[in-house]
Amino acid sequence: MTQKDITFVADFLTEHFNEAPELYNRKGKYFNVERVGQYLKDEDDDLVSPPNTEGNQWFNFLKDSTHLKESPLLFPYYPEKSLHFVKRQMEGVIDQCLQKPADVIGRSVHQAVCMSLYKISQSEDSTPQLFKLPFLWNDKTSNLHYVLFTMLENSISKIHILRRHTDTSRSVSNGILAVEFGNFLNNSINESSDSRCYSCLDAHFYDDETVTVVLKENVQQEGKERVLAQLPLS
């Protein structure tokens, strides 16, 4: 802040926030905040006390700049209006900017494939959340899209990998597959198949050839084992 700014704030506080003990017990306002409150009113009326922009460094900079003075990239300033008015103006401009891309993108998107992942009973009141951890990855080298996700309920030990070609007219082998972790970390074949069963807490692509997963041991007692595993996509 410049010394002028500090002086302005000090003068404002002195003028509008003087102590008035005789008014403390009175309900409502007992100091004048009109110069502040006018900016917050949700009205289109002009400000009662518009700011003095003389000597403002930003305005002087714009005034002296040939290229920026009429630039459409700068949002116009309304010194006579409240912040609510400016907010509505800005929202209108942003909506206008986004409408055209939304229309163009919307017309270009179409369904490439439809896969049924699960079925639920029509009689159920609320649909359970069975789809979890969707993570997207784009392999630009091979022009492939990947989606990692898990299905809850009866397949918590599996992670599903959906693979599609970026060219929707082309197909790839094994478009969708599941990897089951189960008891693959058992120390020996003599261990019970249920003794060391793992489910997937999270999964992300590490790079184009590797998937990183966080596994949780499915046991009831405290101190459940967590495993960070790097799995080659091949």
Side-chain angles (χ1 to χ4, degrees):
M1 298 177 63
T2 64
Q3 186 61 41
K4 182 179 178 181
D5 296 329
I6 297 175
T7 304
F8 175 77
V9 174
D11 290 343
F12 175 80
L13 295 177
T14 303
E15 180 180 352
H16 296 286
F17 292 89
N18 285 331
E19 291 189 17
E22 69 277 5
L23 302 179
Y24 286 172
N25 294 326
R26 183 190 301 178
K27 291 184 178 179
K29 300 178 181 176
Y30 55 86
F31 46 76
N32 182 8
V33 292
E34 184 58 32
R35 291 191 182 181
V36 176
Q38 63 179 351
Y39 291 100
L40 305 179
K41 292 180 179 179
D42 193 4
E43 300 173 354
D44 291 341
D45 298 336
D46 291 347
L47 297 177
V48 177
S49 302
N52 180 15
T53 59
E54 184 179 354
N56 184 287
Q57 296 174 349
W58 174 248
F59 283 103
N60 292 339
F61 171 71
L62 292 182
K63 191 186 304 181
D64 298 336
S65 174
T66 306
H67 301 288
L68 290 178
K69 189 182 301 183
E70 304 296 333
S71 173
L73 300 178
L74 291 178
F75 193 79
Y77 177 58
Y78 304 94
E80 306 289 332
K81 297 297 183 179
S82 72
L83 292 178
H84 278 283
F85 176 85
V86 176
K87 175 176 177 287
R88 284 197 300 272
Q89 293 291 318
M90 182 174 289
E91 286 175 340
V93 172
I94 293 175
D95 289 342
Q96 185 178 3
C97 292
L98 296 178
Q99 187 59 48
K100 185 69 174 180
D103 293 340
V104 173
I105 294 173
R107 287 193 299 267
S108 66
V109 173
H110 63 278
Q111 178 178 298
V113 64
C114 179
M115 295 183 180
S116 178
L117 297 178
Y118 58 85
K119 294 181 180 180
I120 59 173
S121 173
Q122 297 295 329
S123 61
E124 293 185 18
D125 297 333
S126 60
T127 304
Q129 180 191 4
L130 299 179
F131 190 73
K132 190 182 178 186
L133 296 178
F135 177 76
L136 308 180
W137 180 267
N138 178 235
D139 183 351
K140 296 181 176 61
T141 304
S142 304
N143 295 325
L144 294 174
H145 280 310
Y146 288 93
V147 183
L148 291 178
F149 62 93
T150 57
M151 304 288 292
L152 303 183
E153 303 299 330
N154 60 348
S155 58
I156 58 175
S157 63
K158 295 179 182 178
I159 181 174
H160 296 75
I161 304 176
L162 173 65
R163 180 171 62 176
R164 296 288 302 173
H165 203 284
T166 54
D167 182 357
T168 56
S169 63
R170 300 177 59 182
S171 61
V172 294
S173 59
N174 298 328
I176 184 170
L177 55 83
V179 179
E180 182 167 12
F181 301 104
N183 59 347
F184 78 108
L185 291 177
N186 284 356
N187 293 326
S188 70
I189 59 174
N190 297 325
E191 290 191 33
S192 169
S193 60
D194 297 330
S195 62
R196 299 283 298 278
C197 194
Y198 291 84
S199 59
C200 183
L201 284 177
D202 200 359
H204 280 208
F205 266 83
Y206 181 77
D207 54 30
D208 289 342
E209 288 86 26
T210 311
V211 176
T212 302
V213 294
V214 180
L215 304 176
K216 176 187 71 173
E217 190 176 7
N218 297 332
V219 291
Q220 298 299 324
Q221 68 268 23
E222 290 295 326
K224 296 180 180 179
E225 186 177 1
R226 301 291 194 273
V227 177
L228 180 67
Q230 296 273 74
L231 304 179
L233 200 60
S234 58

